[in-house]
Amino acid sequence: DIEALKNFIWTGYVKNVTEGWTIQEFFNTHDLSGYDKVFKLSGRYSLGPNFDLNQYNNKCTFRSQGALTDGTTSIASTAWCFQGQYFNEFKTKWDSTIVFMLDAWSKGCIKDLESSIWNGFGMSEEERQITYVPFLGIIGIVNTHDGKNLVVSQ
């Protein structure tokens, strides 16, 4: 039903904005530059048997979920990592991500956190300085649009 799908999209957007803002507020109140690695792992996920810490030895590590129809790359926000020495740069890019997402909203367009990261981190791969890994090594439960839970490994 179309109303259920609209509610699913709206709920997802509210979750994305809330998650993005919460991370932004955490960055504004904590200096993470003294840590070797800083990980974000979504609450419904855990490390799986294929988790490999060595694949996160990059300035900034995400998993790409593929290209969207507008050419934007969707980036998995379930887990990511950056090196603490790049905290201020990462924080600035995160701030740009939130600005991008809210600017799209003000123009009547819903942009999820995943595509907003890609846009907020820069206009080219050179600017973004993201290393994409093929597999995060995590396992979790996601909700589908029909209300069922699905166990996924990423």
Side-chain angles (χ1 to χ4, degrees):
D1 136 17
I2 194 72
E3 286 305 312
L5 186 55
K6 283 182 184 178
N7 287 336
F8 181 76
I9 291 170
W10 172 249
T11 302
Y13 177 75
V14 170
K15 178 202 161 293
N16 280 249
V17 170
T18 303
E19 179 180 340
W21 177 83
T22 303
I23 292 168
Q24 185 180 39
E25 284 301 304
F26 184 80
F27 287 166
N28 287 336
T29 58
H30 296 79
D31 179 4
L32 304 177
S33 60
Y35 293 91
D36 293 336
K37 291 179 177 65
V38 177
F39 282 88
K40 181 269 188 184
L41 180 63
S42 290
R44 62 180 179 231
Y45 285 85
S46 63
L47 301 181
N50 295 326
F51 179 81
D52 180 6
L53 184 61
N54 293 320
Q55 77 173 351
Y56 293 92
N57 291 332
N58 312 295
K59 183 175 189 175
C60 177
T61 307
F62 284 91
R63 184 179 71 83
S64 170
Q65 298 185 123
L68 303 177
T69 56
D70 65 358
T72 301
T73 295
S74 180
I75 295 176
S77 65
T78 50
W80 43 259
C81 175
F82 65 89
Q83 304 300 310
Q85 64 183 326
Y86 301 111
F87 170 63
N88 289 325
E89 181 181 343
F90 191 92
K91 180 185 174 311
T92 298
K93 290 179 178 184
W94 192 265
D95 290 344
S96 295
T97 297
I98 303 307
V99 167
F100 177 83
M101 190 170 20
L102 296 178
D103 183 57
W105 173 258
S106 72
K107 295 174 182 169
C109 183
I110 292 179
K111 292 287 185 182
D112 63 9
L113 184 58
E114 290 80 2
S115 60
S116 296
I117 291 169
W118 190 78
N119 285 286
F121 272 51
M123 299 314 294
S124 68
E125 289 302 330
E126 183 179 338
E127 231 183 305
R128 286 183 198 99
Q129 299 183 353
I130 293 173
T131 299
Y132 299 104
V133 294
F135 194 77
L136 295 169
I138 60 173
I139 299 171
I141 299 173
V142 297
N143 300 321
T144 62
H145 72 279
D146 60 2
K148 296 180 180 173
N149 292 332
L150 178 67
V151 176
V152 297
S153 178
Q154 294 191 33

